[in-house]
């Protein structure tokens, strides 16, 4: 382009907008007209003829008569937002061969007749959101074969004519969310072979007819959340080969057939939050190896079978919070190589297997909050090299020697701010203290302070015969025998199961830092346990440090 031409264009841009006739109550831009006058009592007759877009917001007129816009043949977009419209003449939008986008949102009309929209052959996007529509005539979309997007959100449909969508072979998006649909006619979606997104969220569906999605081979995203669906038939999703996202949260599903997701080889997101699932059938996700996000929170799961997630090697986020999970098999997360976020909060976990999180080397976030955990096994996070966000609050942490691993790990790796609300549930004298405010030497295991210093089961005051009534943890504690001097600063421990080693531990007196057993002193203990009796003498001799 010549420099002269540039100058010419630049000076045009600087000119004030050419004065052109614009209807009262409207603003006219180059090709757009925007009318938002509450006084506007009719569609203005003097809309600039070359307008391509016209938008009415909160206007007062109630009627769009037959061919109301025939003076504006170039209109491509007509929008009514929150207006008083409730009457349309036959062929109301006739004479607009280029109309691509028609929207009537937020008006109060409950019925439409088919002849209003009879000639909209070029319409690509049709929006009738948040009106008070209760029904639609079967022929409404008869000549709308070009339609790609149909928005019917927020009306009052209880059902729809079975052949309503028959002409819409090119439709890609259908939004029926927030209506009152209690059932879908079996063939309703049969012609929608191009459909990519279907929204049926927040209706009143209690079930889905067999085969209702059978022809939707191109569907990528299906929203069924917020209904009352109780049951899914094994084949209901069987034609959805391209489905990537399936939203089933907030329904009443209490049972899943093992093969219900088996056709969904491209599934990446699945949300089953807020249902009534008590168990997951074996192999439920075996054919969904591309899953990236899976939520099962707010169900009633009590455990997860070992192989449930075996094929989910792409899974990044797994949400199992707000269930009743009391037990997790050691290998349940074994194959989740890509897992970054794992939510296990608000369950009923009491014990975790030491290998539970093994090989989850990408794990960054782990929530264990609001369970019944009193300790975690040593080494449990040793392969979680990227873990830094760990939620632990709401557990009865037993702040004794068994918590030492977790305590050290927290100091070293975790974000301290996260743990201000993590408190000890025991022992009694530490109850309610913040775990991170403790000193490591406070994490000691209980010993009796009896003068002779021996105790075997003592801690639990039970006869040895009771051993089978005890929990596994209690039994392990019984197998140890511990002894200490009255000050608790010299601790002897043996392992009754092996009768082999004797562990002698000298620790400074808590708080003061001085040894309770005086230097150059000697003390004797008679240790009696099922290993036999042994006399132990502990002598301490202080020597000056060498040069
Ligand atoms: C409609 O657009 C065409 C070209 O796109 C133009 O020739 C014609 O003048 C326009 N009609 C009006 C009424 O502005
Ligand atoms: C709804 O039906 C009534 C009577 O059947 C009619 O007068 C009215 O124009 C219709 N409304 C629309 C928006 O078609
Ligand atoms: C549809 O449009 C054509 C030409 O634009 C017209 O002849 C016909 O009457 C219209 N159909 C209806 C039902 O108005
Ligand atoms: C995933 O979708 C593609 C088309 O987008 C299809 O060709 C392929 O078969 C699908 N994969 C599976 C496992 O169904
Ligand atoms: C799922 O994983 C199991 C066990 O790892 C394996 O035997 C099976 O072949 C996998 N299935 C698919 C569809 O990849
Ligand atoms: C948790 O487990 C305890 C004991 O096993 C049981 O009494 C309680 O009902 C469980 N809580 C939930 C929410 O399942
Ligand atoms: C972790 O990975 C190692 C090496 O790949 C493997 O030998 C081990 O069995 C895995 N552990 C678990 C619990 O999957
Ligand atoms: C302990 O005994 C050693 C010699 O056995 C002596 O050198 C040292 O002074 C004594 N220390 C105390 C505190 O009595």
């Amino acid at each position: 382009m010549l420099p002269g031409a540039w100058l010419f264009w630049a000076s045009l841009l600087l000119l004030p907008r050419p004065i052109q006739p614009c209807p009262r109550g409207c603003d006219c831009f180059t090709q757009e007209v925007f009318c938002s006058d509450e006084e506007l009592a009719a569609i203005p007759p003097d809309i600039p003829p070359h307008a391509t877009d016209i938008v009415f917001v909160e206007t007062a007129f109630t009627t769009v008569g037959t061919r109301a816009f025939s003076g504006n043949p170039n209109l491509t977009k007509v929008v009514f937002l929150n207006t008083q419209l409730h009457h349309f003449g036959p062929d109301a939008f006739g004479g607009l061969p280029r109309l691509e986008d028609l929207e009537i949102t937020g008006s109060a009309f409950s019925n439409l007749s088919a002849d209003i929209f009879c000639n909209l052959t070029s319409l690509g996007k049709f929006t009738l959101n948040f009106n008070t529509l209760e029904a639609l005539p079967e022929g409404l979309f008869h000549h709308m074969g070009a339609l790609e997007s149909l928005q019917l959100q927020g009306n009052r449909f209880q059902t729809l004519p079975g052949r309503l969508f028959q002409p819409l072979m090119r439709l890609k998006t259908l939004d029926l969310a927030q209506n009152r649909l209690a059932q879908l006619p079996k063939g309703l979606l049969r012609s929608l072979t191009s459909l990519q997104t279907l929204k049926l969220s927040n209706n009143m569906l209690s079930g889905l007819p067999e085969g209702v999605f059978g022809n939707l081979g191109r569907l990528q995203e299906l929203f069924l959340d917020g209904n009352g669906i109780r049951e899914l038939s094994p084949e209901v999703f069987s034609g959805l080969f391209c489905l990537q996202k399936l939203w089933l949260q907030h329904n009443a599903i209490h049972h899943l057939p093992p093969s219900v997701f088996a056709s969904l080889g491209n599934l990446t997101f699945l949300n089953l939050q807020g249902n009534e699932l008590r168990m997951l059938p074996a192999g439920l996700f075996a054919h969904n190896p591309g899953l990236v996000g899976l939520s099962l929170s707010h169900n009633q799961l009590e455990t997860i079978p070992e192989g449930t997630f075996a094929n989910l090697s792409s899974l990044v986020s797994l949400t199992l919070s707000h269930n009743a999970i009391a037990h997790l098999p050691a290998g349940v997360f074994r194959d989740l190589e890509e897992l970054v976020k794992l939510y296990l909060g608000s369950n009923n976990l009491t014990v975790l297997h030491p290998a539970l999180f093994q090989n989850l080397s990408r794990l960054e976030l782990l929530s264990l909050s609001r369970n019944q955990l009193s300790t975690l096994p040593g080494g449990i996070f040793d392969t979680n090299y990227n873990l830094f966000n760990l939620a632990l609050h709401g557990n009865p942490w037993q702040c004794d020697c068994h918590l030492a691993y977790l305590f050290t790990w927290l100091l070293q790796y975790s974000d301290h701010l996260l743990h201000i609300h993590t408190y000890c549930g025991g022992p009694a004298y530490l109850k309610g203290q913040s775990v991170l405010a403790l000193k490591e030497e406070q994490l000691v295991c209980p010993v009796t302070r009896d003068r002779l210093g021996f105790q075997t089961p003592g801690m639990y005051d039970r006869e040895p015969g009771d051993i089978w009534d005890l929990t596994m943890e209690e039994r392990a504690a019984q197998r140890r025998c511990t002894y200490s001097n009255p000050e608790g600063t010299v601790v002897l421990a043996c392992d009754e199961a092996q009768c082999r080693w004797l562990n002698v531990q000298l620790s400074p007196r808590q708080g003061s830092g001085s040894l309770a057993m005086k230097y150059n002193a000697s003390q004797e203990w008679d240790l009696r346990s099922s290993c036999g009796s042994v006399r132990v003498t502990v002598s301490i001799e202080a020597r000056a440090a060498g040069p």
Side-chain angles (χ1 to χ4, degrees), residues 196-213:
Q196 294 174 358
T197 304
L198 174 57
K199 296 191 184 178
L200 287 162
S201 314
N202 301 317
N203 276 282
M204 299 167 76
L205 299 171
S206 58
L208 298 166
E210 191 76 43
V212 69
F213 306 126

Side-chain angles (χ1 to χ4, degrees), residues 335-393:
D335 300 297
L336 304 180
E337 295 159 18
E338 298 292 326
L339 199 66
V340 173
K341 297 179 182 180
L342 177 56
Y343 299 91
L344 292 167
S346 299
N347 275 291
N348 216 354
L349 294 165
T350 52
V351 182
L352 300 183
H353 191 280
L356 187 63
F357 308 123
Q358 201 176 320
N359 293 359
L360 301 186
S361 56
R362 302 202 185 219
L363 196 65
E364 291 175 12
L365 182 154
L366 173 63
S367 173
L368 293 167
S369 58
R370 298 199 175 87
N371 276 284
Q372 298 298 324
L373 295 165
S374 57
T375 192
L376 289 179
I380 190 167
F381 302 132
D382 281 0
T383 57
N384 308 126
Y385 311 111
N386 288 307
L387 184 61
F388 58 84
N389 196 337
L390 178 64
L392 296 170
H393 58 273

Side-chain angles (χ1 to χ4, degrees), residues 259-423:
S259 64
V260 68
F261 306 128
S263 303
L264 310 181
N266 280 325
L267 201 63
T268 52
F269 288 91
L270 175 59
N271 195 336
L272 284 159
Q273 177 184 338
N275 279 284
E276 294 169 15
L277 298 169
R278 290 182 173 277
M279 55 158 297
L280 301 174
L284 184 64
F285 308 119
H287 303 277
N288 316 113
L291 263 187
V292 169
L294 173 61
S295 177
L296 287 157
S297 67
H298 292 274
N299 277 280
Q300 294 155 22
L301 299 171
E302 284 168 13
T303 185
I304 309 279
E306 171 106 27
T308 304
F309 308 126
N311 301 76
L312 304 186
S313 54
S314 306
L315 200 65
V316 170
S317 171
L318 176 58
T319 308
L320 292 166
S321 41
H322 293 277
N323 277 283
I325 303 173
H327 172 71
L328 286 169
V332 69
F333 305 129
R334 181 181 297 155
D335 300 297
L336 304 180
E337 295 159 18
E338 298 292 326
L339 199 66
V340 173
K341 297 179 182 180
L342 177 56
Y343 299 91
L344 292 167
S346 299
N347 275 291
N348 216 354
L349 294 165
T350 52
V351 182
L352 300 183
H353 191 280
L356 187 63
F357 308 123
Q358 201 176 320
N359 293 359
L360 301 186
S361 56
R362 302 202 185 219
L363 196 65
E364 291 175 12
L365 182 154
L366 173 63
S367 173
L368 293 167
S369 58
R370 298 199 175 87
N371 276 284
Q372 298 298 324
L373 295 165
S374 57
T375 192
L376 289 179
I380 190 167
F381 302 132
D382 281 0
T383 57
N384 308 126
Y385 311 111
N386 288 307
L387 184 61
F388 58 84
N389 196 337
L390 178 64
L392 296 170
H393 58 273
N395 283 285
W397 296 110
Q398 181 70 17
C399 294
D400 64 16
C401 61
H402 305 296
L403 207 68
Y405 171 82
L406 178 63
F407 181 78
T408 315
W409 190 94
L410 286 177
L411 288 184
Q412 222 171 335
Y413 301 111
S414 186
D415 179 351
H416 292 193
L417 280 179
L418 276 175
H419 300 291
I420 39 184
H421 299 300
T422 302
Y423 303 115

